[in-house]
Amino acid sequence: MSTIYIMEAANLFCGDHDPTASKHLTLTELQLPALQEMYQDHHAGGSRVQIEVAVGIQKLEPTFKLAGWDPDLLTRFGLGASRASVFTAYGVVRDKRTGVAHEAKAIMEGRLGKVEADTFQRGEMMGHGYAINEVMHYELWFADREKLYWDFYSTDWRLDGVSQNDDERRILRIPTTG
């Protein structure tokens, strides 16, 4: 049966599930990373028509915007932060047909690579935009079901919990870890 799912609210934890890392009071925008394949054009010598061939997936770059200043988050920026951080986003997604609220969850491991302050204008709230770069791990869950999983170090890529590259990892003798 057809329905429509609408995101009604979101929260972001910068530093996993530490309750003090919740951004629910200042989060104004959350952009999950674009999922975009990379293609290479190919025009075979014996073909009249050029084709494109999928050769991978572009880097993941989630962004978010917070109202006001966040001095604690600034310390996670750049090369001074020796390790990647875990960012966990939660969303309330409502099924408009049934009224049931579902949890959407994205787990992203990367570096806080960009902090961009809004222009200050008297009488308006100044905020900051942030980008998570060097993403090495990404999970997307909907209603307690894993929809997408990718991990750079294990090279695992799963859709709906099913590995998409077990054969490749087996042939290349890459250990299965998860």
Side-chain angles (χ1 to χ4, degrees):
M1 183 176 291
S2 295
T3 190
I4 184 170
Y5 296 101
I6 303 295
M7 178 108 89
E8 295 182 342
N11 191 12
L12 179 67
F13 286 82
C14 300
D16 211 9
H17 298 294
D18 175 0
T20 65
S22 172
K23 304 301 176 193
H24 67 284
L25 295 178
T26 57
L27 183 66
T28 60
E29 292 180 20
L30 174 64
Q31 177 73 50
L32 295 179
L35 301 175
Q36 185 172 345
E37 282 191 302
M38 298 177 349
Y39 293 91
Q40 178 70 51
D41 290 342
H42 174 65
H43 194 178
S47 174
R48 289 187 163 282
V49 180
Q50 182 182 52
I51 64 169
E52 58 184 6
V53 178
V55 295
I57 297 172
Q58 289 188 359
K59 66 182 178 181
L60 305 177
E61 187 178 275
T63 61
F64 58 97
K65 186 167 181 155
L66 302 179
W69 287 76
D70 194 319
D72 294 332
L73 191 55
L74 286 173
T75 63
R76 293 181 185 271
F77 169 74
L79 296 175
S82 61
R83 297 190 67 217
S85 294
V86 175
F87 298 83
T88 306
Y90 294 96
V92 176
V93 179
R94 190 160 312 273
D95 180 328
K96 293 304 282 183
R97 178 180 292 279
T98 66
V100 173
H102 298 281
E103 176 187 89
K105 175 174 65 173
I107 301 170
M108 304 157 280
E109 185 176 335
R111 298 174 59 84
L112 190 62
K114 181 178 181 181
V115 180
E116 183 174 2
D118 291 343
T119 302
F120 170 76
Q121 295 181 30
R122 190 172 180 91
E124 293 187 19
M125 186 180 295
M126 180 182 173
H128 289 77
Y130 302 85
I132 304 168
N133 297 96
E134 201 177 276
V135 174
M136 299 292 189
H137 180 92
Y138 182 63
E139 298 176 40
L140 185 61
W141 294 72
F142 184 81
D144 295 324
R145 294 172 62 192
E146 179 187 274
K147 301 307 288 177
L148 187 147
Y149 175 98
W150 170 74
D151 185 81
F152 176 79
Y153 295 107
S154 70
T155 71
D156 202 4
W157 172 255
R158 298 191 302 252
L159 298 174
D160 277 332
V162 178
S163 180
Q164 302 299 300
N165 63 337
D166 270 348
D167 56 348
E168 179 180 302
R169 293 185 311 145
R170 181 181 41 76
I171 291 167
L172 296 176
R173 308 314 192 262
I174 298 172
T176 303
T177 60

